[in-house]
Amino acid sequence: MSEQSSRKCAVVTGASSGIGAATAVRLAEQGYHVVLGARRVDRLERVAEKCGGRAETLDVTDPASVEAFCATVERCDLLVNNAGGALGVDPVASADEDAWLSMYETNVLGTLRMTKALLPRLIASGDGQVITIGSVAGQEPYPGGGGYNAAKHAVTALTKVLRKELLGQPVRVCQIDPGLVRTEFSLVRFGGDAERADKVYEGMTPLSAEDIADCVGWVASRPSHVNVDSMLVLARDQSSAQVVHRTKDA
Ligand code: NDP
Ligand code: 8X3
């Protein structure tokens, strides 16, 4: 426990790459001491160095890992539930049940475990905040999205329930739902197939991880009485989960 308790502390899960890494940097710029969690500790440490934060190994699918991680967090004013992702685009008819389970474990139970573990510290802070990264996929199902859609819809339900259950407590709850963001998301989804991952963003300008970090930073910096419940953020080239404008030669 190395936090100076006079400084606001943010915990960011999945901070070793993409949106989580950019968010850790943004929150540090806004004055937070940041505790970064993910499985790839080497990458996590590089991000922590960049933002002057503290890197701790974390696997949100493992209750013991969540417990050990949270035991190192003395103070928590903001929890960013970002760890997550998709595996595959199988139709329901041939769905890989292990992939569905894994997506549920990471996106839903991971968010649940982190929230449960840190809620007492968020309440004790007197002005806590939970910001969860959902997805347009949690608002709008699409063919091939089944397992990820189901998981992110569950995340949306969890966020809405939490907001209602915490009414009257000094904790705000927000979900940010991005559309296409160029990160390692598609590389993970397609099992490391870079060509297939690149095709997702071909002929259009996707959001960047920093665009979503900006949104987290903005939500986190509203006055304490303002709860931004939800935010759907799409690229100008995307009007819904499945409707994307691409240049003709793409
Ligand atoms: P990345 O793949 O770049 O980042 C995912 C992060 O989650 C990594 O830091 C990874 O770290 C971490 N992570 C994955 N599994 C676990 C685990 N079991 N325990 C702890 N950390 C884990 O993708 P994004 O930055 O895009 O994804 C961040 C969030 O944004 C996800 O929830 C994703 O579903 C969501 N999202 C992404 C969109 C996009 O188009 N990119 C759009 C909408 C939502 P490590 O592997 O080191 O553990
Ligand atoms: C990621 C966006 O459209 O691939 O959550 O589901 S999408």
Side-chain angles (χ1 to χ4, degrees), residues 128-139:
Q129 224 175 349
V130 180
I131 302 177
T132 296
I133 307 299
S135 171
V136 65
Q139 295 194 21

Side-chain angles (χ1 to χ4, degrees), residues 134-137 142 148-149 152 178-181 185-186 189 200 238 241:
S135 171
V136 65
Y142 53 85
Y148 185 57
N149 289 145
K152 287 299 195 187
L180 293 168
V181 188
F185 173 86
S186 294
R189 180 172 223 171
V200 173
Q238 180 176 28

Side-chain angles (χ1 to χ4, degrees), residues 14 16-17 19 39-40 58-60 82 134 148 152 178-179 181 183:
S16 60
S17 66
I19 295 168
R39 295 165 303 177
R40 292 169 296 175
L58 171 67
D59 181 349
V60 297
N82 165 78
Y148 185 57
K152 287 299 195 187
V181 188
T183 61

Side-chain angles (χ1 to χ4, degrees), residues 15-249:
S16 60
S17 66
I19 295 168
T23 296
V25 171
R26 167 49 59 104
L27 293 175
E29 284 167 0
Q30 290 182 200
Y32 284 89
H33 172 74
V34 184
V35 182
L36 303 88
R39 295 165 303 177
R40 292 169 296 175
V41 175
D42 49 337
R43 293 185 51 159
L44 203 58
E45 275 168 355
R46 286 204 288 277
V47 183
E49 209 170 300
K50 196 170 159 189
C51 68
R54 176 162 66 81
E56 294 287 342
T57 183
L58 171 67
D59 181 349
V60 297
T61 69
D62 176 0
S65 172
V66 170
E67 194 185 334
F69 176 92
C70 292
T72 76
V73 178
E74 190 180 349
R75 168 180 177 166
C76 183
D77 301 271
L78 167 62
L79 166 62
V80 182
N81 282 311
N82 165 78
L87 295 174
V89 284
D90 290 338
V92 169
S94 55
D96 176 342
E97 291 177 25
D98 288 339
W100 276 58
L101 270 176
S102 176
M103 286 187 273
Y104 197 85
E105 269 286 345
T106 311
N107 292 282
V108 189
L109 294 182
T111 298
L112 171 68
R113 287 186 188 109
M114 290 300 299
T115 306
K116 264 175 80 176
L118 292 176
L119 206 45
R121 268 152 278 183
L122 287 160
I123 293 171
S125 77
D127 188 14
Q129 224 175 349
V130 180
I131 302 177
T132 296
I133 307 299
S135 171
V136 65
Q139 295 194 21
E140 200 190 323
Y142 53 85
Y148 185 57
N149 289 145
K152 287 299 195 187
H153 273 73
V155 169
T156 302
L158 193 166
T159 300
K160 287 183 176 172
V161 169
L162 187 67
R163 168 87 171 106
K164 292 180 198 307
E165 288 178 351
L166 290 179
L167 191 65
Q169 299 278 6
V171 181
R172 289 178 281 168
V173 178
C174 172
Q175 184 165 312
I176 298 176
D177 291 329
L180 293 168
V181 188
R182 191 190 272 276
T183 61
E184 292 172 22
F185 173 86
S186 294
L187 199 63
V188 172
R189 180 172 223 171
F190 295 120
D193 184 338
E195 205 176 319
R196 217 170 155 199
D198 284 346
K199 274 216 165 308
V200 173
Y201 314 106
E202 213 169 69
M204 57 90 63
T205 305
L207 299 169
S208 68
E210 287 72 22
D211 292 328
I212 303 305
D214 278 350
C215 297
V216 176
W218 182 79
V219 169
S221 59
R222 293 311 84 211
S224 302
H225 68 285
V226 179
N227 194 99
V228 180
D229 281 48
S230 64
M231 197 189 266
L232 174 66
V233 188
L234 304 178
R236 189 180 62 185
D237 285 340
Q238 180 176 28
S239 63
S240 70
Q242 285 187 278
V243 181
V244 179
H245 170 77
R246 298 184 195 270
T247 53
K248 287 210 170 50
D249 49 350

